[in-house]
Amino acid sequence: MENWQKKKIEQNKKLKDVEISFPIVYGTISFWLGKKASEHHSHKWTVYVRSANNEDLSVIVKRVVFQLHPSFQNPTRVVDQPPFELSESGWGEFEIAITLFFHSDVCEKRLDLFHQLKLYPEEEVGPPSTKKPVVVETYDEIVFPEPTEVFFQRVQNHPAANVPRLPPGLTLPPPGSMEIVPYEKKHGDTKDHPLSQWFSNFSEADELLKLAAARQQVRRRPIASSKCPYFLICIGILLECLLHFHTCAPVIHATFTRFMKLPCLFGEFSPVLSVPVVKHVQDRVEASKFPLII
Ligand code: SLL
């Protein structure tokens, strides 16, 4: 075998029983334009995908494509740099398709997310204001099962990643002996983002999720004896994963956001409503039980 072939095989070697996850948040923030509002441009809004702790997602994400309503000019918008976001102005609410493309060592498959743009608050919370936006965010985790060694080494110390310790007995070649796929080392986080005061803090939720996951693994129950009311949903998730994704596919971990319309999981609030983050946290932990029982 040629040297380059050996190298390629080495780079593509998968780490069994290992998964790397990235907590993400995607959503929209929209402001009413007040006096500046016109018939077709009553609101300005921003749609975005960010890491849940506002770290730089470009470590895995190469490109994000936002598919807007056909009433917009050039409705397919491509963003190749962090922050992965798009700002527009318009008059109506619609569903935005958000497609994530990953670097080649991360995953060949793309990931489709969908987000409903909201311009108007659900309940009347006082007179309309140009200062207080309507914020709708969804927390999810992208899980990469069986990452390649190259990917593992590249992100193991990255703050946007949840990287486990390697299983006992598994060691990696010392850094330097592998060709590391470069990624742009720019400051692409969203910490000093102009909209960051409106971002929800999901990092506590994430910590609690991890704790709950650990607890669940300790007392893992067999499925037959489980009284899990979400049994059918679990099968749905499994089927969905099998149908849509193959081995290297990203899996949306917190899929319950799509199946269970718990309002707390679909974190919709304006600062005026100010639903406490703790509420999100508790319900997430509850809902996280069912995928872990499998
Ligand atoms: C509705 N189903 O009827 C929705 C469609 C489309 C919103 C909303 C375009 C702005 C522009 C715009 O805001 N479209 O022309 O640039 O409510």
Side-chain angles (χ1 to χ4, degrees):
M1 202 186 292
E2 303 265 347
N3 255 359
W4 66 268
Q5 284 172 315
K6 275 195 205 145
K7 207 166 186 184
K8 188 122 194 112
I9 289 173
E10 206 170 277
Q11 280 177 356
N12 289 335
K13 213 151 96 197
K14 303 222 161 155
L15 295 170
K16 296 256 178 261
D17 302 321
V18 174
E19 54 182 40
I20 301 177
S21 68
F22 285 77
I24 60 156
V25 174
Y26 56 97
T28 45
I29 296 182
S30 66
F31 288 86
W32 177 53
L33 286 171
K35 280 196 205 123
K36 291 190 202 139
S38 64
E39 194 189 346
H40 288 107
H41 299 278
S42 55
H43 291 75
K44 62 174 183 185
W45 49 262
T46 301
V47 55
Y48 50 86
V49 185
R50 61 180 177 89
S51 105
N53 51 8
N54 293 307
E55 296 294 345
D56 186 356
L57 261 194
S58 67
V59 65
I60 51 165
V61 176
K62 182 174 66 179
R63 161 176 294 175
V64 175
V65 177
F66 297 98
Q67 186 64 45
L68 306 183
H69 190 269
S71 53
F72 281 86
Q73 279 193 345
N74 307 321
T76 309
R77 307 289 175 89
V78 180
V79 180
D80 285 321
Q81 307 281 344
F84 297 105
E85 66 178 31
L86 172 80
S87 296
E88 256 299 351
S89 65
W91 55 268
E93 301 178 342
F94 60 94
E95 185 179 65
I96 305 174
I98 306 169
T99 307
L100 270 58
F101 293 83
F102 302 101
H103 295 293
S104 58
D105 65 327
V106 178
C107 186
E108 296 296 339
K109 297 213 155 43
R110 60 195 210 181
L111 177 63
D112 291 313
L113 305 168
F114 298 91
H115 177 80
Q116 182 68 30
L117 166 66
K118 251 191 155 328
L119 306 182
Y120 303 96
E122 209 70 335
E123 292 160 38
E124 266 328 312
V125 282
S129 159
T130 54
K131 299 265 165 9
K132 289 166 184 157
V134 174
V135 184
V136 181
E137 294 196 312
T138 301
Y139 171 96
D140 250 319
E141 282 179 24
I142 312 175
V143 180
F144 299 99
E146 300 192 354
T148 59
E149 287 187 2
V150 176
F151 174 36
F152 186 96
Q153 289 208 330
R154 191 165 69 78
V155 301
Q156 62 183 331
N157 296 319
H158 197 280
N162 284 338
V163 182
R165 272 203 217 120
L166 282 175
L170 199 63
T171 47
L172 287 178
S177 65
M178 298 172 74
E179 190 190 315
I180 302 207
V181 178
Y183 64 93
E184 295 205 23
K185 259 195 159 185
K186 284 178 307 226
H187 200 59
D189 63 49
T190 44
K191 286 176 192 150
D192 299 325
H193 193 282
L195 293 174
S196 62
Q197 63 167 310
W198 309 111
F199 290 160
S200 344
N201 182 358
F202 286 96
S203 50
E204 286 170 34
D206 186 38
E207 283 305 308
L208 278 172
L209 252 179
K210 276 189 233 160
L211 278 176
R215 225 180 295 135
Q216 283 292 316
Q217 280 197 336
V218 171
R219 44 182 156 98
R220 191 179 284 228
R221 289 171 289 170
I223 212 160
S225 67
S226 151
K227 292 200 191 80
C228 176
Y230 307 119
F231 181 66
L232 285 177
I233 301 171
C234 297
I235 295 189
I237 294 167
L238 270 179
L239 279 177
E240 191 190 23
C241 295
L242 287 174
L243 283 174
H244 289 278
F245 312 115
H246 304 292
T247 31
C248 86
V251 181
I252 288 286
H253 209 37
T255 331
F256 43 82
T257 49
R258 279 197 264 157
F259 288 89
M260 297 159 59
K261 294 246 158 138
L262 295 182
C264 43
L265 293 171
F266 192 64
E268 180 183 327
F269 47 91
S270 68
V272 189
L273 292 173
S274 93
V275 176
V277 172
V278 176
K279 174 112 180 63
H280 292 243
V281 171
Q282 285 169 346
D283 286 325
R284 273 210 186 74
V285 171
E286 228 6 74
S288 75
K289 282 180 182 167
F290 73 84
L292 295 159
I293 286 167
I294 298 172

